Amino acid sequence: MRAFALLAVAACSHPAPAPIPVPVAHVTPDAGAPIDAAPANHANQEERLAAIQKAMNELDEAVQQCWAVVATERFDVEGDLTAQIEIAAASARATLVLDTARNGKLAACVVAVLEHYPWAPPLRGHTIQLPFRFRAPSDGQNVIDRALVSAAGQGDVRVSVLIDENNTSADQAAMFEVQIAPKGATGMRRAERQEVWYFKTAAEVQGPGKPLAVAAGDLVVVPKSGVRTIRAGATAVDAVLVVVPGGREGAARAGALPTPEAGAWEKTPLGPALVPAATAKRYPRGPGKVTILLDGNPTLAVSILEFPAGMAVPEHVHAKEVEMLYVLAGSGTLTVKGQPLAVTATSVVQIPPNTKHAFATATDLRALQIYTPSGPEQRFKAPAAKAPQ
């Protein structure tokens, strides 16, 4: 096989705050493989370099996804990877000859992408080298695609860590997705931090008192030191759990709920409180509306946003509050410190305090919104400003 080296660098130039690797179009031939040594039936050097450039452009999105998958666990992964690819007629073999990132998941993903890429005919029978450079954002991530987040389970329960200090740098709150198998239960657990559960499906929540029948869309609040268990009926439970404060949720990444097992119910007067969605107050917000589910809790505020396509939320700042979103449906563009970030139906969002941000919907949006501490949700109660006559 003849060898060519691509001297371009896949630099992290994604809009802040979540840089990802993007190949740059700059190639030079390997001095050790002169053009005039190529067999007559091989494409000329220009065709090979054009094929490499085309491959780099097409590999861009896939390589970005490799970093995005790794960043669901750690946003600070960075380093240089250089892959040597031996390209045959119907297959390719990739080997990393340089890896300063030292992340097994990132390395395996990049190798898999390169080996499954359909390399163009001018490159068949040749060996090339492609370098990639990954630079982590300095201040964490704002948007994570929960479709890329892996779930881990123990018993009837599976847990996905959506937002924690590891993947966003934020430690004020953590967000999880929790699934409970049909007829399964979490077991009796004591909340070491305040918990808020948003149920996407029906469930039964048991505390020291009578069981609570929870409908889809309801909220359950468990105070710090409160005791509860959550049970599924004939169908699985799907819920979003937010805890305050947050941290590095290592146990949850292994599939364990971030709560210890509890003793008997009678040992604590604290239990869960149900907030039915049916009785929550709704407030108009321009052409959209906001339903405040949790109001008056100093630690947390929870609302449901329903904004039509084409609605814009102007740039603003929350001086001391963290804002989190769990998108239930729709899409749009979140702008953070002047940089646009795509938001889809599987996105979760974390915006730190004192950070300028704005949002514009592309399609009808429905999202769970959390503030900690509470406060900014009170603006939704104010009468909407009337348009000039």
Side-chain angles (χ1 to χ4, degrees), residues 130-378:
L130 304 182
F132 298 90
R133 175 168 295 163
F134 298 85
R135 289 293 176 262
S138 60
D139 53 356
Q141 296 189 89
N142 297 112
V143 180
I144 292 174
D145 185 353
R146 64 181 185 270
L148 302 178
V149 178
S150 59
Q154 295 184 10
D156 296 328
V157 180
R158 292 182 64 79
V159 182
S160 303
V161 179
L162 303 182
I163 294 175
D164 79 337
E165 188 176 357
N166 275 347
N167 64 15
T168 65
S169 82
D171 62 358
Q172 296 94 329
M175 179 186 289
F176 313 86
E177 195 161 42
V178 181
Q179 289 88 31
I180 305 172
K183 301 297 184 181
T186 63
M188 194 186 304
R189 299 277 178 170
R190 184 180 301 279
E192 294 186 317
R193 298 171 282 179
Q194 184 171 180
E195 299 180 348
V196 169
W197 292 77
Y198 174 79
F199 287 88
K200 299 168 67 177
T201 57
E204 180 184 271
V205 179
Q206 174 74 61
K210 294 181 179 180
L212 304 174
V214 180
D218 287 352
L219 206 69
V220 169
V221 181
V222 184
K224 181 180 179 181
S225 300
V227 175
R228 51 90 185 134
T229 186
I230 300 169
R231 302 189 186 98
T235 58
V237 167
D238 189 1
V240 180
L241 168 62
V242 175
V243 299
V244 174
R248 299 182 184 276
E249 307 295 341
R253 293 189 189 280
L257 281 170
T259 47
E261 293 185 0
W265 296 128
E266 60 269 21
K267 291 185 178 180
T268 176
L270 300 176
L274 176 64
V275 182
T279 60
K281 293 185 178 181
R282 293 164 173 79
Y283 300 91
R285 194 67 177 173
K289 62 180 178 180
V290 176
T291 302
I292 300 181
L293 295 174
L294 184 59
D295 192 11
N297 183 309
T299 305
L300 284 160
V302 182
S303 304
I304 296 291
L305 309 180
E306 295 176 273
F307 293 163
M311 181 172 171
V313 178
E315 184 177 75
H316 60 289
V317 172
H318 308 301
K320 61 180 181 179
E321 297 87 4
V322 173
E323 180 178 358
M324 303 169 76
L325 295 176
Y326 179 101
V327 180
L328 297 162
S331 62
T333 300
L334 172 70
T335 302
V336 179
K337 293 187 287 189
Q339 299 294 339
L341 300 169
V343 171
T344 71
T346 58
S347 293
V348 291
V349 173
Q350 180 273 144
I351 302 169
N354 200 31
T355 302
K356 291 182 179 180
H357 59 285
F359 192 82
T361 59
T363 61
D364 292 353
L365 182 89
R366 189 167 184 268
L368 181 70
Q369 181 189 58
I370 299 100
Y371 288 115
T372 182
S374 60
E377 76 288 348
Q378 297 302 312

Side-chain angles (χ1 to χ4, degrees), residues 71-82:
T72 64
E73 296 181 1
R74 293 193 58 166
F75 78 89
D76 57 351
V77 173
E78 63 179 10
D80 296 325
L81 273 70
T82 299

